[in-house]
């Protein structure tokens, strides 16, 4: 089956599994996942499953990405912080919907390869930082101090307080928190200055690695 048809089927699958946000579904219908997986996995690009990428990391499961994006209630005016660029697939999905995406990845091989794919796809609204995402967007360009939405694509041992401090008023953050292989997706909001934390579904991400320096 052609990639285009497989992509349509994936969107239908996401929809029948509870994704109703039209902006999210439209983004999945536009971004070619086959461009973000390793060449040997291109034929599996539209299985609703995580797949291996470089450096023993994984491109997240489409269903989980879609769920996190839906939880964030993304708007075209949002400035979004993404921790864990990885393949760049989720970065592309976000950049389709929002104003700007600032994406942090600790492994330079992954960041550089994602930057290359995203640049050749024509995106102009994505900024990159190579480093430990526990410190968020500190000392990076553009010099944003806070974000409307924050999405963390790796499992954190606990909620990084520096990330919470970078969540703007009215903002929403989605972050898997828990052990190295099993976490619970936490949804954190800041309303009238008050931070609220809600635990949602079980999930399984690669660990959010803490670099000694941070
Ligand atoms: N959304 C990405 C997910 C990649 S897996 C995709 O679908 O391709 C998670 C990524 O988080 C990996 O690339 C890993 O290197 C990165 N990562 C792990 N710990 C990190 C940290 N402390 N800071 C930034 N990135 C981190």
């Amino acid at each position: 089956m052609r990639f285009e048809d497989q992509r349509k089927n994936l969107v239908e699958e996401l929809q029948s599994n509870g994704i109703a946000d039209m902006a999210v579904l439209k983004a999945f219908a536009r971004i070619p996942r086959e461009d973000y997986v390793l060449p040997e996995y291109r034929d599996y690009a539209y299985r609703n499953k995580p797949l291996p990428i470089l450096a023993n990391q994984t491109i997240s499961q489409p269903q989980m990405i879609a769920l996190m994006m839906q939880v964030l209630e993304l708007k075209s005016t949002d400035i979004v912080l993404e921790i864990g660029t990885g393949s760049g697939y989720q970065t592309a999905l976000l950049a389709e919907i929002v104003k700007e995406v600032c994406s942090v990845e600790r492994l330079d091989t992954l960041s550089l390869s994602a930057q290359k794919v995203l640049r050749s796809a024509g995106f102009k609204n994505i900024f990159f930082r190579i480093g430990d995402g526990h410190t968020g967007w500190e000392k990076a360009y553009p010099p944003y101090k806070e974000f409307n939405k924050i999405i963390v694509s790796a499992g954190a041992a606990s909620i990084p307080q520096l990330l919470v401090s970078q969540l703007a008023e009215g903002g929403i953050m989605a972050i898997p928190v828990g052990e190295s292989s099993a976490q619970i997706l936490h949804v954190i909001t800041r309303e009238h200055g008050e931070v609220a934390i809600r635990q949602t579904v079980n999930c399984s991400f690669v660990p959010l690695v803490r670099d000694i320096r941070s």
Side-chain angles (χ1 to χ4, degrees):
M1 209 195 295
R2 292 182 313 162
F3 281 135
E4 223 176 286
D5 298 325
Q6 294 186 42
R7 197 174 310 129
K8 273 199 196 120
N9 289 347
L10 174 66
V11 172
E12 279 168 20
E13 191 179 339
L14 296 174
Q15 203 164 12
S16 60
N17 288 336
I19 305 302
D21 184 324
M22 284 314 291
V24 172
L25 292 168
K26 268 190 199 151
F28 273 88
R30 290 178 68 109
I31 304 296
R33 194 173 187 240
E34 67 274 18
D35 290 354
Y36 297 83
V37 302
L38 294 171
E40 56 270 39
Y41 290 105
R42 275 174 76 88
D43 287 346
Y44 307 107
Y46 290 99
R47 292 196 181 166
N48 198 353
K49 293 255 160 57
L51 288 171
I53 53 174
L54 297 171
N56 282 328
Q57 303 301 314
T58 54
I59 180 171
S60 307
Q61 185 190 11
Q63 194 70 44
M64 189 39 93
I65 298 179
L67 178 67
M68 288 174 94
M69 288 176 65
Q70 173 160 279
V71 154
L72 290 180
E73 299 171 18
L74 298 167
K75 299 188 177 59
S76 59
T77 50
D78 280 344
I79 311 283
V80 178
L81 174 63
E82 174 187 54
I83 308 297
T85 315
S87 65
Y89 176 58
Q90 178 181 276
T91 322
L93 292 165
L94 291 165
E96 273 288 319
I97 302 175
V98 305
K99 186 162 176 232
E100 281 173 6
V101 182
C102 296
S103 189
V104 185
E105 168 59 53
R106 61 180 287 274
L107 298 175
D108 52 3
T109 45
L110 280 173
S111 180
L112 295 173
S113 106
Q115 290 183 34
K116 201 170 148 197
V117 189
L118 291 164
R119 197 170 306 122
S120 66
F123 288 103
K124 302 268 189 295
N125 58 341
I126 306 174
F127 299 91
F128 300 90
R129 175 166 99 78
I130 297 173
D132 183 351
H134 281 97
T135 58
W137 198 247
E138 269 190 354
K139 299 193 190 112
Y141 178 85
Y144 293 131
K145 295 276 176 275
E146 44 180 43
F147 295 86
N148 306 112
K149 308 290 158 64
I150 300 179
I151 183 163
V152 183
S153 301
S158 58
I159 299 170
Q161 287 311 309
L162 268 172
L163 285 186
V164 178
S165 73
Q166 290 171 32
L167 189 63
E169 172 58 32
I172 309 177
M173 163 157 57
I175 177 170
V177 183
E179 295 163 14
S180 62
S181 60
Q183 305 96 22
I184 297 173
L185 181 66
H186 285 50
V187 179
I188 304 177
T189 51
R190 183 190 296 281
E191 287 282 352
H192 311 295
E194 293 281 314
V195 173
I197 304 171
R198 192 159 51 86
Q199 300 196 9
T200 63
V201 297
N202 291 326
C203 52
S204 176
F205 283 82
V206 295
L208 186 72
V209 177
R210 189 178 277 283
D211 286 335
I212 315 265
R213 292 183 304 277
S214 73

